[in-house]
Amino acid sequence: RGRRGGGHGGFMQPIGSAGSIGKRGKGVLGKTGRLALTLPMMPTGDGEKYGEAPKDAKPDDPPPQPMSFTLEAQVVDQNRQSIANRQVITAHPASLYVGLRPSKAVVKAGEALSVAAVLAGLDGARVAGKDLTIEALQVKNKMTPKRGPTGWTYSWETKEVQVASCKLVTAADPAACDLTLKKPGAYLLRAEATDGQGRRGRTTMRIYAHGPGYVPWRLENQSRLELVPDKESYAPGETARVLIKSPLKKAVGFLTVSRGGMASHEVLKMDGNAQVVEVKIPANGMPGVHVTAALARGRIKGKGDAAKDLGRPTLAHGVVKLPVSVESKRVKVELKPDKEAVRPSGSIKLKLQARDHAGKPVSADLAVMVVDEGVLSLLNYKTPHPLSSFWALPGPATGLPDTPPHLL
């Protein structure tokens, strides 16, 4: 995901359409109840097997992305009783992966950004002593208005320009180096590693820089704001920093924090379209709050064809959820049976222990269920956790009425 703090970059990429079948067949279990299968990975569609570079590949072309395949099997006995299961298999482009973690997901333009990195094999073991280069690429967008069948729309041209880089040597612990993003905007952090067979693995994640000036954000809907938090989750009482990606160079408006009703609000004065606002998380904010921003700009002198009316009055708004950690409410349950196996109609004794998030014993009401595993596997059943039910995020319970469209 890369757009929020605390991540190491994403790598999973789907292939084909959801639920597409690459290969199917039937077989008979042997005397030991096993069936061995050899299943080649699906080809890329260009005649090459997965992981092989195309014949016309260039050195600067991006390496192939990891892909996941799902193997499903169902076994039916003589009594027509069945049991099923599935296993996800990941095809890796190389035997090494780079993990990246920036100190911030939203950084002030011109300030140093520390980026930590690790190099690991497929077994998770850290690889030390390898030179690694981390690049920062600025994402530059160019917007061109064009007339469509239903009115004016926008076409976009995007390019990535390397603006900074730093080098480090990997170690058992994360190693770090500093980058400076001089201008506000969207950036990609990128690092590559080559394994012993010459196969490349690439990790890319997105970060943002805020500051004065104008950034041509790629916003497909010019009446929408995109709000980018600096972290994936927060603690009660913590201060969140939210980047407002706005299509308006200058605007005024308001910011609200809601959770089952409005908790707070403030006036916004935006001098630039890449500014950060600070949001205080309420002490009772678990499991999260909704942050809404609305901006307005009056008519300005537009450029180009008057028919485009690019300087017309404009309104834009956006909302984002800020998850607040509920770990302090989590209860961990330990279950120890007195035997590993029991015959049908037999009995078993269980020892149960409940502990809080800090590992201390706590009083709790417990429910014990015994269910046929074969039935659950057919349903692909996952045991639900009551924490998500008791601490579900309520809606904002606030609205944003927009009267100008009724007047214009």
Side-chain angles (χ1 to χ4, degrees), residues 249-273:
K249 294 182 180 180
K250 290 186 178 182
V252 295
F254 57 87
L255 182 85
T256 64
V257 178
S258 305
R259 180 182 175 275
M262 187 177 298
S264 64
H265 66 279
E266 62 179 274
V267 175
L268 291 177
K269 294 184 179 180
M270 304 289 291
D271 188 8
N273 70 334

Side-chain angles (χ1 to χ4, degrees), residues 72 100 104 148 169 173 207 209 260 277 291 348 361 368 374 397:
E72 296 183 348
L100 298 176
K104 300 178 181 178
V169 178
D173 296 323
I207 62 172
V277 295
V291 176
I348 190 172
V368 179

Side-chain angles (χ1 to χ4, degrees), residues 200 309 318 353 380:
R200 295 184 298 151
D309 196 15
Q353 176 69 64
N380 193 29

Side-chain angles (χ1 to χ4, degrees), residues 292-303:
T292 302
L295 299 176
R297 185 207 64 195
R299 177 171 291 279
I300 61 174
K301 186 178 180 180
K303 298 180 180 180

Side-chain angles (χ1 to χ4, degrees), residues 117-119 127-133 167-177:
V118 295
L119 186 63
V127 179
K130 298 292 185 180
D131 295 329
L132 192 67
T133 299
K167 297 183 178 181
L168 55 83
V169 178
T170 61
D173 296 323
C177 60

Side-chain angles (χ1 to χ4, degrees), residues 28 34-38:
V28 179
R34 298 176 181 271
L35 175 64
L37 301 175
T38 300

Side-chain angles (χ1 to χ4, degrees), residues 57-81:
K58 300 178 181 179
D60 295 336
D61 288 347
Q65 295 292 313
M67 297 182 182
S68 61
F69 302 84
T70 301
L71 176 63
E72 296 183 348
Q74 183 179 12
V75 178
V76 182
D77 65 8
Q78 298 178 349
N79 297 325
R80 296 185 180 181
Q81 293 182 333

Side-chain angles (χ1 to χ4, degrees), residues 98-159:
V98 180
L100 298 176
R101 185 190 293 273
S103 57
K104 300 178 181 178
V106 179
V107 62
K108 185 177 181 180
E111 290 187 355
L113 172 69
S114 178
V115 183
V118 295
L119 186 63
L122 299 183
D123 58 355
R126 302 285 177 87
V127 179
K130 298 292 185 180
D131 295 329
L132 192 67
T133 299
I134 302 176
E135 301 176 342
L137 299 93
Q138 186 176 9
V139 181
K140 295 187 175 182
N141 301 304
K142 182 180 179 181
M143 181 183 69
T144 304
K146 63 178 182 179
R147 184 184 291 276
T150 59
W152 288 94
T153 59
Y154 300 93
S155 63
W156 294 90
E157 179 183 348
T158 301
K159 61 180 181 179

